[in-house]
C-alpha cells in the first residue's frame, strides 16, 4: 500500500499496483495493468458545509442522470450505486470535512461489477477516515 495525495490537504491509501492522475481538479485512481474500472475524486469547498446535507447534495447531482436515485447515508457519507442503460456500473459517494466536500465516483463495465470492490472499499475507507 502507498499514500496518494488527492490535493494539498487530503491523502488516501491505494494498493502499490494502482496509479493516479490529476487533471483539472479531478484525481483518477486505477490499476493500469489488471484493473477493470476507475475511481475518481473531486474536492470542492463550500462556505457553510455544516448546513449542506450530503445526502441531498448527492441526490440533487444524481437526479439529472437517473430516474430513481435513492441515496443512503452510510458511515457518515452519502452513497448510491446503479447500472446504467449503457451497461456501466457506477458507485457514488459524498463526504465532508470542515469546509471541504469530496465527491467520489467509480465505474466499470457491468459484467465486471464487484471485481474491484474490496480494493475500492479499502480506498473509500481511507478517504472516509478523513472526515474525523
Amino acid at each position: 500500500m502507498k499514500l496518494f495525495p488527492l490535493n494539498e490537504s487530503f491523502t488516501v491509501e491505494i494498493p502499490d499496483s494502482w496509479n493516479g492522475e490529476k487533471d483539472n481538479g479531478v484525481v483518477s485512481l486505477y490499476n493500469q495493468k489488471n484493473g477493470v474500472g476507475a475511481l475518481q475524486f473531486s474536492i470542492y469547498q463550500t462556505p457553510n458545509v455544516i448546513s449542506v446535507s450530503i445526502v441531498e447534495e448527492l441526490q440533487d447531482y444524481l437526479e439529472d442522470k437517473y430516474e430513481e436515485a435513492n441515496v443512503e447515508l452510510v458511515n457518515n457519507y452519502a452513497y448510491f450505486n446503479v447500472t446504467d442503460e449503457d451497461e456501466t456500473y457506477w458507485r457514488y459517494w459524498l463526504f465532508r470535512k470542515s469546509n471541504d466536500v469530496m465527491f467520489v465516483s467509480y465505474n466499470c463495465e457491468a459484467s465486471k461489477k464487484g471485481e474491484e470492490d474490496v480494493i475500492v472499499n479499502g480506498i473509500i475507507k481511507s478517504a472516509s477516515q478523513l472526515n474525523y
Side-chain angles (χ1 to χ4, degrees):
M1 297 297 274
K2 61 187 175 186
L3 295 176
F4 187 87
L6 299 175
N7 66 12
E8 59 281 342
S9 301
F10 300 109
T11 302
V12 292
E13 194 170 29
I14 64 173
D16 292 332
S17 59
W18 280 52
N19 300 317
E21 293 179 5
K22 297 178 184 181
D23 185 32
N24 293 327
V26 176
V27 175
S28 299
L29 303 175
Y30 54 89
N31 181 328
Q32 191 168 359
K33 290 184 181 180
N34 300 314
V36 298
L39 188 60
Q40 294 187 310
F41 290 80
S42 59
I43 301 168
Y44 58 95
Q45 290 191 330
T46 180
N48 195 4
V49 75
I50 300 304
S51 68
V52 172
S53 164
I54 56 174
V55 171
E56 289 176 16
E57 187 83 6
L58 185 55
Q59 186 87 34
D60 288 346
Y61 172 79
L62 295 170
E63 282 179 353
D64 293 337
K65 297 180 175 297
Y66 309 106
E67 285 184 28
E68 290 187 37
N70 297 317
V71 175
E72 301 176 56
L73 185 62
V74 180
N75 298 327
N76 294 320
Y77 56 83
Y79 176 74
F80 177 73
N81 68 67
V82 65
T83 299
D84 67 17
E85 65 277 353
D86 296 326
E87 291 301 307
T88 301
Y89 176 63
W90 289 91
R91 297 176 72 188
Y92 298 95
W93 300 262
L94 197 65
F95 304 86
R96 70 175 175 217
K97 179 183 180 183
S98 218
N99 287 339
D100 295 309
V101 176
M102 185 182 309
F103 175 78
V104 186
S105 66
Y106 171 81
N107 71 82
C108 67
E109 292 178 20
S111 63
K112 306 290 186 183
K113 175 182 173 180
E115 288 187 23
E116 293 181 321
D117 277 359
V118 171
I119 293 168
V120 169
N121 291 345
I123 295 169
I124 293 300
K125 183 178 179 182
S126 78
S128 69
Q129 292 172 348
L130 300 172
N131 290 324
Y132 300 103

